[in-house]
Amino acid sequence: MRIPPSRRRTLRGGTAAMAAAALVALGAAPALADEPEPDLGVGTIAPVKGVQAGSGFSTPLTFLNKGAEEVPVSYVTYAVSPGLKAEETYKNCVYYTVPSYDEMPDTHVAACEIDQPLKPDVLYRTEKPLSLKALDSALNDDLRVTIGVVAPDPDAGDSGSTEPVPGTGDPLTLVEERPATDADRENHPESAASTEVTAANTADFGLTGAELKGEVGDQVTASVEFANKGPARVQGKSGQSVTHVDIRIPKGTSVVKAHGYCDAVTETHYRCGTSQSWVDVDGGESYPLVLRIDKAVGRTTGEVSFSGEERPFDRNAANDTAQIVIDTGKGSDTSGSSGSSGSAGSAGGTGDPSPTAGPGSTGATGTTGGSADTGGSTTGGAADPQTAGGGNLAATGSDSAVPLAGMAAAAVAAGAGIVWAVRRRSVARAH
């Protein structure tokens, strides 16, 4: 399914005002503009692979002042995706969470003040490796580290962050490693660095179909349910559906209205995406399709299955398919009487934005039925289908994808002309 590139969100008023104030300040103080800007770099962070869910791990961090002047105070921020958290807290750091926004998941942030000088061309490392923990829901997460000279503001841009909580352990400190080499400079190219953290964990993606009945001319709503039964949350590729669901409608019926996340492959085959590039434990989507019964062919069956992305984490194939079964009245075709795992479920109303699939409903004189099979009940994460076309990511007010490069922070400093970018959450989120 094609996911168009994302509409980039404009700067919030507060951030734009800060930037304008900084430019004015620079214009009013030309002497400061001549001062060299600090050039700080974070060393490349090696990927962390195979960590056990529920256990701690650590990773070393290095920093380099590539400028010509000593930096008296700096700020190190590290942020992790929802499957991770800080295992050890430092008393010179504050900890808070930035809620999900756009196509970004929740972010757990630690902002640390390093009250010690960083000499130019000297390689520094953390006194002890950074201590983190993989939660029970960890699978494919990420870590992002930044360094700058402006203190991060958890409340900047009205992000809705949680109240910052000071750490309690020993301070996070940096120690001199050695004079920097050319290789060190190449290994510290930017003021931010990210890495992937993969855990040895599984997640069970399951499908549930629907069982309905009606007569020729009736419209019935068949709701297909996709659910992640855990134990891990699954983070997909930036700006892409975390999985795709193929729905082939029963013979003798036609689609009157498809869910907003679904595209027509053919007249009888629809492919549906997800509202975000991740799915939490017990999260998922509901895909209601309004079908019209065109012919009385007896008991007729349509198939539902996953497609597209590989799912090496999903080791339970028993609920990877489901069926839409419709009793259309008298007819000679009864070949669709048998069901597969997850073949029955309640039919939901079109476009129900609530996290739980709604009760079954039909149009005209059609009726709905629902008997739980191995699919069980699911929690749907679908937003109003009218906000999204053709299977695009569209649960957050953006009809397109923003690169999920990790976690970032933004602040602007007048005088020194330093901008340290931190991504913040937009308050407005489409539901």
Side-chain angles (χ1 to χ4, degrees):
M1 182 179 306
R2 181 177 63 84
I3 304 291
S6 176
R7 238 185 2 241
R8 296 191 178 276
R9 304 182 76 86
T10 58
L11 287 174
R12 300 190 63 82
T15 304
M18 291 173 64
L23 293 176
V24 170
L26 287 177
L32 294 178
D34 294 332
E35 294 183 4
E37 295 182 1
D39 185 7
L40 303 178
V42 181
T44 301
I45 308 172
V48 180
K49 299 180 180 180
V51 63
Q52 294 297 315
S55 66
F57 65 98
S58 60
T59 183
L61 300 176
T62 60
F63 304 92
L64 180 59
N65 176 7
K66 298 180 288 182
E69 301 293 331
E70 183 177 276
V71 174
V73 178
S74 58
Y75 297 88
V76 170
T77 297
Y78 59 95
V80 294
S81 53
L84 307 175
K85 74 171 187 176
E87 183 174 45
E88 178 181 356
T89 64
Y90 308 100
K91 65 182 180 182
N92 59 333
C93 306
V94 293
Y95 297 82
Y96 55 93
T97 297
V98 179
S100 170
Y101 71 99
D102 287 345
E103 283 82 39
M104 297 288 293
D106 294 351
T107 304
H108 304 308
V109 182
C112 311
E113 180 178 358
I114 308 300
D115 190 10
Q116 64 183 90
L118 299 184
K119 301 174 184 178
D121 283 327
V122 173
L123 182 66
Y124 289 85
R125 61 172 174 82
T126 51
E127 185 175 13
K128 295 188 298 183
L130 189 65
S131 179
L132 300 170
K133 182 176 182 178
L135 303 179
D136 292 339
S137 60
L139 180 63
N140 40 10
D141 288 275
D142 51 73
L143 163 69
R144 181 175 175 84
V145 179
T146 63
I147 187 170
V149 294
V150 176
D153 180 7
D155 296 323
D158 192 21
S159 67
S161 300
T162 60
E163 188 70 22
V165 177
T168 58
D170 294 335
L172 179 68
T173 57
L174 307 182
V175 296
E176 294 186 21
E177 183 77 5
R178 63 173 184 273
T181 64
D182 289 341
D184 291 329
R185 284 180 165 273
E186 292 178 0
N187 194 43
H188 295 72
E190 304 292 343
S191 60
S194 301
T195 194
E196 295 179 347
V197 179
T198 55
N201 207 353
T202 62
D204 181 16
F205 281 11
L207 294 172
T208 306
E211 186 166 351
L212 313 166
K213 66 183 301 182
E215 299 177 355
V216 172
D218 288 351
Q219 293 183 12
V220 295
T221 300
S223 185
V224 171
E225 310 290 342
F226 153 59
N228 173 22
K229 301 181 181 182
R233 67 179 292 276
V234 179
Q235 178 75 55
K237 294 181 180 179
S238 171
Q240 297 183 13
S241 293
V242 69
T243 192
H244 289 90
V245 176
D246 279 3
I247 301 175
R248 291 171 170 82
I249 67 171
K251 292 181 179 179
T253 68
S254 57
V255 176
V256 176
K257 184 178 182 180
H259 188 272
Y261 299 159
C262 301
D263 284 332
V265 180
T266 68
E267 289 184 353
T268 59
H269 176 193
Y270 280 73
R271 180 163 294 158
C272 305
T274 58
S275 57
Q276 296 287 9
S277 60
W278 71 89
V279 58
D280 293 324
V281 179
D282 296 327
E285 304 287 354
S286 176
Y287 306 112
L289 277 74
V290 180
L291 305 177
R292 181 176 59 243
I293 300 175
D294 299 321
K295 296 180 181 180
V297 292
R299 195 170 168 84
T300 179
T301 302
E303 301 297 327
V304 181
S305 61
F306 288 114
S307 67
E309 301 76 6
E310 295 183 356
R311 305 187 314 281
F313 51 81
D314 188 350
R315 300 175 184 175
N316 178 23
N319 57 0
D320 287 354
T321 61
Q323 291 183 331
I324 298 173
V325 181
I326 302 179
D327 184 351
T328 63
K330 294 181 180 180
S332 59
D333 185 358
T334 59
S335 61
S337 60
S338 62
S340 65
S341 66
S343 61
S346 64
T350 303
D352 183 359
S354 67
T356 305
S361 63
T362 67
T365 59
T367 62
T368 63
S371 61
D373 200 350
T374 59
S377 62
T378 64
T379 301
D384 188 344
Q386 301 305 319
T387 67
N392 297 336
L393 300 185
T396 57
S398 171
D399 61 358
S400 48
V402 176
L404 187 60
M407 293 69 64
V412 178
I418 311 248
V419 177
W420 186 31
V422 176
R423 294 201 60 181
R424 314 306 288 162
R425 170 184 179 256
S426 171
V427 171
R429 190 190 331 185
H431 295 281

